[in-house]
Amino acid sequence: MWEYTEKVKELFLHPKNAGEIENPDAVGEVGSIVCGDALKLTLRIDRKTDRIIDAKFRTFGCASAIASSSALTELIKGKTVDEALRITNKDIADYLGSLPREKMHCSVMGMEALQAAIANYRGEKPRRAEEGKIVCECFGVTDEKIKRVIRENNLQTVEDVTNFTKAGGGCGSCIPEIEKILGEVRGERVAVKPEAPRRKLTNIQKIAMIQEVMEREIRPLLQADGGDVELVDVEGDKVTVSLRGMCTGCLMADVTVKNIEKKLKELVSEELFVEAA
Amino acid sequence: MRVVYLDNNATTRVADEVREEMLPYLSELYGNPSSMHTFGGQVHRKIETAREQVAALINAEPEEIIFTSCGTESDNTAIMSCLASSPQKRHIITTRVEHPAVLNFCKTMSRRGYRVTFLPVDKSGRLDLDELQSAITDDTAVVSVMYANNESGVIFPISEIAAIVKARGVPFHTDAVQAAGKIPVDVKKIPVDMMSLSGHKIHAAKGVGALYVRRGTRFSPYIIGGHQERGRRAGTENVASIVGFGRACELAREHLPEEGTRIKEMRDRLERGLHSTCPGARTNGDPENRLPNTLNISFEYVEGEAILLRLNEFNICASSGSACTSGSLEPSHVLRAMGVPFTAIHGSVRFSLSRYTTDEDIDLVLEKMPGIIKELRDLSPYGREAGQAGAHSP
């Protein structure tokens, strides 16, 4: 059972502003029934003052999705459109006391519905449609969304990215891609500080890291195509591998070995080179 | 407020008779059954009585029963033992709808180099036996197919499956954790080699299970250590729970006729009632071959966790296969394997009854559910037409 705050329970059991405004000035729709949660936000906006006079929601989803939607409408009522745009998913979570980490994507959905509604009000194209390429096919999450949410919530792990955006929570095949994006965004932050000098690896550390990268990064990719690879030996900077399964005798075997080398150079040490046994 | 407990496929209350039987072994009768003294010896004898009681539930011989710590351990042990018994064979057959105790174990084995066939099911949750037949090869080390599904309640034709597998000389294991005690299970009539059982699903305490291993089956222990369970499962026995498990099996045998009559009638009344009062309801799973205590029902355009938490306000306990309840982001693997449509897959609720379920329990659900579904559907951006159309249907 989830540990929901009293506020979440209250807004789930007795949601405020449930429903739909007729002839609304703005509509924001995000999510889908296939993904398991969806939110339709309708707003009444005073066009002279740009102030949100009324907000209503309809939500398909779990208790925290319903409570997050209700919280959003409470937060934005009375605000101008510009003020409302400053609301982040964190504000929604704070309004609710807190949300379980695994449910943070519900607050992100609220924020996105608001952004979509305001874009609709201003006659702009919705952000999602024009931005980025799809990373997570299962839940239709783009790289731009992942980057934005990582920055706004200072996310550190793939698990967090999944909790906040759902990306990677389905088949999991995009997890390497998410790791890459996470690395890039975090790299932006690191770049501000002077880069720490790279430590010289001991042999034991080097072999352990090579093994880990092989297991985590390389083998799953090859296995997905019916191939596999085995680490045979590490002597100095020479890494010997043996290709297995569909990789044996494959015309692309040389390319595969080169790609393994690239990955090891990137993640373990620039000095490494890879040979097939 | 009274608790209306309709989540008996998750766990059950410990029967009063079971608790009474256990208590002495949690106080004065604390001896170690392996000890030489009379004080420990009497505990040993009680465990052997429990073994006879468990064996009787499935018509096995007492020496064919190994006590374990849970159904999961029994499942893991069975499959591992089959793999260890034919180390040259590298193929496992199971189904897509197994309990995680089998499913995730097989996935782990697949990462360790085994080839695993996960047999699909149809929309009603039924297996295609021809597909099983053609999946078996000379390399197959074990076939593990559950007796009855914990989520949908669908009962597999285990006699036929066992016959197909045994005709090819392959070891066959079945996870009967949900079946035993709910429907008649007879290992003399089914050519199964191993069968997993669990205590807490049939009103015994948590922390005890059993593995049936047919006499003459090659066996290799999973937990290594002392000579308990004739060397087949090491570790000092969970005496009180084992004693209680024995009594629970005895009670399950006595109450078995009730499952097919009183409990089934209550389940059917619940099902009929929900279908007639809640528009957009659909039963998941083969209604013909289904555990008498289980109802898995979806409500279109609403989400399962929300239904459960609304039910929770009335102290009604049930389960859901929705993504939100599992902590994962995808709905239940069982419902997905069955191809439940996307409008309904997130809105599934599983009610599972027991002999402690009363007509008043069912009445309360039937009273509260239509309002809950209506309110949540009013909140939902989808299915507004369905809701209105349903209001006019019978």
Side-chain angles (χ1 to χ4, degrees):
Chain A
M1 179 138 192
W2 300 107
E3 293 291 328
Y4 286 135
T5 61
E6 285 306 314
K7 191 75 184 168
V8 172
K9 284 184 209 161
E10 180 197 319
L11 284 182
F12 163 63
L13 293 172
H14 311 286
K16 288 183 181 163
N17 311 316
E20 206 166 327
I21 295 172
E22 278 183 42
N23 303 316
D25 298 296
V27 183
E29 285 182 90
V30 291
S32 86
I33 195 168
V34 180
C35 297
D37 45 21
L39 164 55
K40 181 178 185 185
L41 179 70
T42 47
L43 305 178
R44 170 80 59 236
I45 301 173
D46 181 346
R47 294 217 174 239
K48 282 185 212 124
T49 58
D50 251 9
R51 203 166 283 280
I52 298 169
I53 305 164
D54 198 7
K56 287 198 185 297
F57 76 92
R58 283 204 202 279
T59 292
F60 167 80
C62 55
S64 55
I66 290 170
S68 294
S69 309
S70 190
L72 168 73
T73 53
E74 283 291 282
L75 278 169
I76 60 174
K77 277 209 287 188
K79 287 202 167 57
T80 64
V81 168
D82 284 331
E83 285 165 354
L85 266 184
R86 283 199 284 276
I87 288 172
T88 65
N89 67 290
K90 207 173 161 302
D91 295 321
I92 296 173
D94 288 346
Y95 183 88
L96 294 168
S98 69
L99 277 175
R101 200 80 176 156
E102 296 86 344
K103 296 285 190 171
M104 285 303 286
H105 59 87
C106 296
S107 66
V108 173
M109 181 169 79
M111 180 183 71
E112 287 183 332
L114 174 65
Q115 288 165 348
I118 292 177
N120 169 260
Y121 170 70
R122 290 177 168 169
E124 296 163 2
K125 273 192 195 164
R127 284 175 73 164
R128 282 158 59 93
E130 59 182 0
E131 274 183 39
K133 67 172 176 67
I134 300 277
V135 172
C136 172
E137 298 279 351
C138 298
F139 293 107
V141 188
T142 65
D143 55 349
E144 287 305 318
K145 171 170 174 177
I146 293 171
K147 283 179 195 167
R148 197 171 71 239
V149 175
I150 291 173
R151 286 190 200 109
E152 284 171 359
N153 294 282
N154 192 20
L155 303 184
Q156 303 290 328
T157 63
V158 173
E159 202 184 341
D160 269 345
V161 173
T162 306
N163 287 337
F164 279 67
T165 67
K166 297 173 96 169
C171 70
S173 67
C174 63
I175 286 173
E177 183 72 16
I178 297 173
E179 273 175 353
K180 216 176 111 200
I181 295 172
L182 197 59
E184 281 169 25
V185 177
R186 284 214 308 247
E188 291 169 8
R189 245 181 232 112
V190 174
V192 183
K193 296 179 241 157
E195 204 175 324
R198 230 180 217 200
R199 288 177 301 131
K200 178 93 179 125
L201 295 171
T202 67
N203 265 332
I204 301 278
Q205 284 170 330
K206 189 170 13 183
I207 292 170
M209 280 179 78
I210 291 171
Q211 275 175 330
E212 199 199 325
V213 171
M214 297 274 287
E215 285 302 318
R216 207 187 51 201
E217 302 277 335
I218 297 167
R219 292 191 62 206
L221 291 176
L222 296 182
Q223 283 165 355
D225 291 328
D228 206 351
V229 65
E230 193 180 296
L231 180 63
V232 177
D233 203 1
V234 180
E235 293 167 82
D237 288 324
K238 186 174 116 181
V239 181
T240 312
V241 298
S242 165
L243 295 176
R244 294 285 151 89
M246 299 288 280
C247 294
T248 347
C250 170
L251 294 173
M252 302 294 281
D254 287 348
V255 180
T256 306
V257 171
K258 274 288 153 218
N259 283 337
I260 295 171
E261 183 174 287
K262 211 172 122 198
K263 203 86 201 167
L264 291 176
K265 278 179 183 294
E266 181 192 330
L267 296 172
V268 183
S269 159
E270 265 300 321
E271 270 79 61
L272 295 178
F273 61 100
V274 177
E275 283 181 7
Chain B
M1 199 174 16
R2 185 170 71 98
V3 172
V4 174
Y5 190 78
L6 297 173
D7 202 11
N8 288 282
N9 286 10
T11 195
T12 57
R13 69 171 284 179
V14 174
D16 292 344
E17 300 91 326
V18 168
R19 192 182 56 248
E20 289 308 312
E21 201 83 26
M22 290 171 71
L23 282 176
Y25 298 89
L26 294 168
S27 51
E28 66 267 28
L29 295 177
Y30 56 82
N32 188 324
S34 298
S35 297
M36 287 311 295
H37 37 71
T38 315
F39 185 61
Q42 59 186 337
V43 177
H44 172 78
R45 273 194 301 282
K46 190 70 184 174
I47 288 182
E48 293 316 308
T49 305
R51 201 182 305 281
E52 288 163 18
Q53 290 165 319
V54 173
L57 180 64
I58 57 169
N59 199 21
E61 301 304 318
E63 64 269 25
E64 294 175 317
I65 300 295
I66 302 171
F67 285 115
T68 65
S69 68
C70 57
T72 298
E73 187 195 321
S74 300
D75 287 337
N76 283 207
T77 302
I79 299 172
M80 205 58 180
S81 169
C82 293
L83 299 182
S85 299
S86 354
Q88 75 288 0
K89 297 189 175 176
R90 309 293 287 174
H91 180 223
I92 302 169
I93 298 175
T94 185
T95 77
R96 286 193 197 168
V97 295
E98 293 298 310
H99 186 276
V102 169
L103 193 71
N104 288 342
F105 189 83
C106 290
K107 285 183 182 170
T108 297
M109 287 302 120
S110 131
R111 283 193 286 276
R112 291 189 192 165
Y114 281 88
R115 196 161 61 82
V116 184
T117 303
F118 296 96
L119 296 170
V121 294
D122 69 9
K123 282 190 168 19
S124 299
R126 289 174 300 214
L127 275 180
D128 182 343
L129 298 190
D130 290 338
E131 217 154 331
L132 165 68
Q133 179 76 265
S134 56
I136 301 172
T137 70
D138 292 340
D139 195 37
T140 308
V142 57
V143 175
S144 179
V145 173
M146 70 201 318
Y147 206 126
N149 189 276
N150 49 312
E151 290 189 36
S152 65
V154 170
I155 301 167
F156 284 145
I158 229 64
S159 296
E160 287 174 62
I161 294 171
I164 290 171
V165 176
K166 293 317 293 173
R168 304 284 294 272
V170 175
F172 180 61
H173 163 252
T174 185
D175 175 340
V177 163
Q178 293 292 349
K182 292 175 188 155
I183 52 173
V185 173
D186 185 340
V187 295
K188 297 275 193 299
K189 290 186 182 150
I190 313 166
V192 55
D193 296 302
M194 297 196 203
M195 178 185 285
S196 302
L197 304 173
S198 168
H200 77 106
K201 307 286 191 195
I202 55 167
H203 306 287
K206 292 160 187 69
V208 63
L211 180 63
Y212 159 82
V213 181
R214 184 178 297 277
R215 195 183 291 158
T217 305
R218 273 203 218 168
F219 185 80
S220 151
Y222 193 49
I223 293 190
I224 315 283
H227 54 82
Q228 294 88 353
E229 300 297 294
R230 297 196 294 141
R232 294 183 296 177
R233 199 281 187 182
T236 302
E237 297 84 343
N238 181 356
V239 176
S241 288
I242 289 173
V243 168
F245 188 16
R247 182 76 178 106
C249 286
E250 204 171 61
L251 289 167
R253 264 178 82 201
E254 287 168 23
H255 285 276
L256 198 56
E258 195 184 340
E259 290 278 342
T261 54
R262 193 181 75 87
I263 295 174
K264 182 174 181 299
E265 280 158 20
M266 283 191 292
R267 190 273 314 270
D268 291 344
R269 184 162 75 88
L270 177 64
E271 183 172 22
R272 279 194 310 273
L274 291 176
H275 275 279
S276 66
T277 56
C278 302
R282 69 191 295 283
T283 295
N284 298 314
D286 182 4
E288 301 302 317
N289 297 297
R290 188 167 45 149
L291 291 174
N293 80 319
T294 306
L295 169 63
N296 191 314
I297 184 166
S298 276
F299 301 92
E300 287 190 299
Y301 307 110
V302 288
E303 197 280 328
E305 184 204 287
I307 302 173
L308 291 190
L309 290 183
R310 290 288 175 116
L311 286 171
N312 190 53
E313 286 301 297
F314 305 106
N315 265 6
I316 298 170
C317 309
S319 286
S320 170
S322 94
C324 294
T325 51
S326 62
S328 80
L329 290 166
E330 291 199 311
S332 127
H333 68 284
V334 176
L335 300 182
R336 274 187 288 147
M338 287 161 63
V340 174
F342 67 87
T343 50
I345 196 162
H346 295 284
S348 77
V349 177
R350 180 190 69 188
F351 295 102
S352 45
L353 288 59
S354 80
R355 61 176 179 265
Y356 294 102
T357 305
T358 63
D359 278 320
E360 290 71 42
D361 293 342
I362 303 300
D363 290 341
L364 188 72
V365 179
L366 288 175
E367 179 195 327
K368 298 297 179 191
M369 204 60 168
I372 291 174
I373 298 303
K374 185 180 179 306
E375 278 179 39
L376 290 175
R377 205 167 273 154
D378 281 346
L379 279 178
S380 170
Y382 302 114
R384 321 207 58 73
E385 310 76 26
Q388 282 145 16
H392 300 292
S393 66

mmCIF file of all heavy atoms in Angstrom, chain B residues 72-86:
data_model
loop_
_atom_site.group_PDB
_atom_site.id
_atom_site.type_symbol
_atom_site.label_atom_id
_atom_site.label_comp_id
_atom_site.label_asym_id
_atom_site.label_seq_id
_atom_site.Cartn_x
_atom_site.Cartn_y
_atom_site.Cartn_z
ATOM 1 N N THR B 72 7.152 -19.891 -2.810
ATOM 2 C CA THR B 72 8.256 -19.460 -3.672
ATOM 3 C C THR B 72 9.448 -20.395 -3.537
ATOM 4 O O THR B 72 10.046 -20.817 -4.533
ATOM 5 C CB THR B 72 8.672 -18.013 -3.324
ATOM 6 O OG1 THR B 72 7.563 -17.156 -3.578
ATOM 7 C CG2 THR B 72 9.857 -17.570 -4.143
ATOM 8 N N GLU B 73 9.780 -20.753 -2.295
ATOM 9 C CA GLU B 73 10.911 -21.680 -2.116
ATOM 10 C C GLU B 73 10.609 -23.015 -2.785
ATOM 11 O O GLU B 73 11.484 -23.619 -3.419
ATOM 12 C CB GLU B 73 11.222 -21.878 -0.631
ATOM 13 C CG GLU B 73 12.499 -22.687 -0.438
ATOM 14 C CD GLU B 73 12.676 -23.239 0.970
ATOM 15 O OE1 GLU B 73 12.347 -22.537 1.952
ATOM 16 O OE2 GLU B 73 13.134 -24.397 1.085
ATOM 17 N N SER B 74 9.369 -23.481 -2.660
ATOM 18 C CA SER B 74 9.003 -24.751 -3.286
ATOM 19 C C SER B 74 9.186 -24.673 -4.796
ATOM 20 O O SER B 74 9.744 -25.584 -5.417
ATOM 21 C CB SER B 74 7.547 -25.095 -2.963
ATOM 22 O OG SER B 74 7.369 -25.212 -1.573
ATOM 23 N N ASP B 75 8.730 -23.576 -5.390
ATOM 24 C CA ASP B 75 8.853 -23.397 -6.840
ATOM 25 C C ASP B 75 10.318 -23.358 -7.278
ATOM 26 O O ASP B 75 10.721 -24.057 -8.200
ATOM 27 C CB ASP B 75 8.173 -22.082 -7.276
ATOM 28 C CG ASP B 75 6.657 -22.178 -7.226
ATOM 29 O OD1 ASP B 75 6.127 -23.297 -7.296
ATOM 30 O OD2 ASP B 75 5.999 -21.122 -7.134
ATOM 31 N N ASN B 76 11.086 -22.527 -6.583
ATOM 32 C CA ASN B 76 12.512 -22.412 -6.926
ATOM 33 C C ASN B 76 13.217 -23.758 -6.784
ATOM 34 O O ASN B 76 14.007 -24.162 -7.638
ATOM 35 C CB ASN B 76 13.213 -21.391 -6.000
ATOM 36 C CG ASN B 76 12.927 -19.936 -6.377
ATOM 37 O OD1 ASN B 76 13.719 -19.055 -6.114
ATOM 38 N ND2 ASN B 76 11.794 -19.689 -6.997
ATOM 39 N N THR B 77 12.910 -24.451 -5.676
ATOM 40 C CA THR B 77 13.553 -25.739 -5.410
ATOM 41 C C THR B 77 13.233 -26.730 -6.518
ATOM 42 O O THR B 77 14.126 -27.438 -7.017
ATOM 43 C CB THR B 77 13.055 -26.309 -4.067
ATOM 44 O OG1 THR B 77 13.333 -25.360 -3.034
ATOM 45 C CG2 THR B 77 13.746 -27.620 -3.740
ATOM 46 N N ALA B 78 11.954 -26.796 -6.892
ATOM 47 C CA ALA B 78 11.519 -27.781 -7.884
ATOM 48 C C ALA B 78 12.248 -27.582 -9.205
ATOM 49 O O ALA B 78 12.803 -28.518 -9.779
ATOM 50 C CB ALA B 78 10.013 -27.666 -8.087
ATOM 51 N N ILE B 79 12.251 -26.336 -9.688
ATOM 52 C CA ILE B 79 12.853 -26.083 -11.000
ATOM 53 C C ILE B 79 14.365 -26.311 -10.930
ATOM 54 O O ILE B 79 14.956 -26.956 -11.793
ATOM 55 C CB ILE B 79 12.517 -24.659 -11.484
ATOM 56 C CG1 ILE B 79 10.996 -24.523 -11.622
ATOM 57 C CG2 ILE B 79 13.195 -24.355 -12.806
ATOM 58 C CD1 ILE B 79 10.519 -23.119 -11.907
ATOM 59 N N MET B 80 14.964 -25.795 -9.858
ATOM 60 C CA MET B 80 16.410 -25.944 -9.711
ATOM 61 C C MET B 80 16.800 -27.415 -9.648
ATOM 62 O O MET B 80 17.807 -27.817 -10.228
ATOM 63 C CB MET B 80 16.847 -25.212 -8.433
ATOM 64 C CG MET B 80 18.269 -24.772 -8.440
ATOM 65 S SD MET B 80 18.578 -23.694 -9.852
ATOM 66 C CE MET B 80 20.281 -23.338 -9.604
ATOM 67 N N SER B 81 15.992 -28.201 -8.944
ATOM 68 C CA SER B 81 16.288 -29.622 -8.815
ATOM 69 C C SER B 81 16.241 -30.306 -10.181
ATOM 70 O O SER B 81 17.107 -31.128 -10.509
ATOM 71 C CB SER B 81 15.284 -30.275 -7.861
ATOM 72 O OG SER B 81 15.406 -31.674 -7.926
ATOM 73 N N CYS B 82 15.257 -29.951 -10.984
ATOM 74 C CA CYS B 82 15.159 -30.545 -12.334
ATOM 75 C C CYS B 82 16.365 -30.156 -13.180
ATOM 76 O O CYS B 82 16.907 -30.977 -13.921
ATOM 77 C CB CYS B 82 13.873 -30.101 -13.029
ATOM 78 S SG CYS B 82 12.392 -30.741 -12.248
ATOM 79 N N LEU B 83 16.787 -28.896 -13.058
ATOM 80 C CA LEU B 83 17.937 -28.443 -13.842
ATOM 81 C C LEU B 83 19.207 -29.168 -13.392
ATOM 82 O O LEU B 83 20.027 -29.593 -14.214
ATOM 83 C CB LEU B 83 18.120 -26.927 -13.711
ATOM 84 C CG LEU B 83 16.958 -26.059 -14.212
ATOM 85 C CD1 LEU B 83 17.301 -24.576 -14.057
ATOM 86 C CD2 LEU B 83 16.609 -26.375 -15.657
ATOM 87 N N ALA B 84 19.327 -29.323 -12.060
ATOM 88 C CA ALA B 84 20.521 -29.978 -11.529
ATOM 89 C C ALA B 84 20.529 -31.455 -11.897
ATOM 90 O O ALA B 84 21.596 -32.071 -12.033
ATOM 91 C CB ALA B 84 20.581 -29.799 -10.009
ATOM 92 N N SER B 85 19.335 -32.041 -12.044
ATOM 93 C CA SER B 85 19.262 -33.471 -12.339
ATOM 94 C C SER B 85 19.637 -33.791 -13.780
ATOM 95 O O SER B 85 20.056 -34.905 -14.084
ATOM 96 C CB SER B 85 17.850 -33.996 -12.064
ATOM 97 O OG SER B 85 17.538 -33.800 -10.710
ATOM 98 N N SER B 86 19.439 -32.836 -14.693
ATOM 99 C CA SER B 86 19.925 -33.068 -16.064
ATOM 100 C C SER B 86 20.741 -31.871 -16.514
ATOM 101 O O SER B 86 20.275 -31.029 -17.276
ATOM 102 C CB SER B 86 18.784 -33.289 -17.055
ATOM 103 O OG SER B 86 17.555 -33.366 -16.436
#
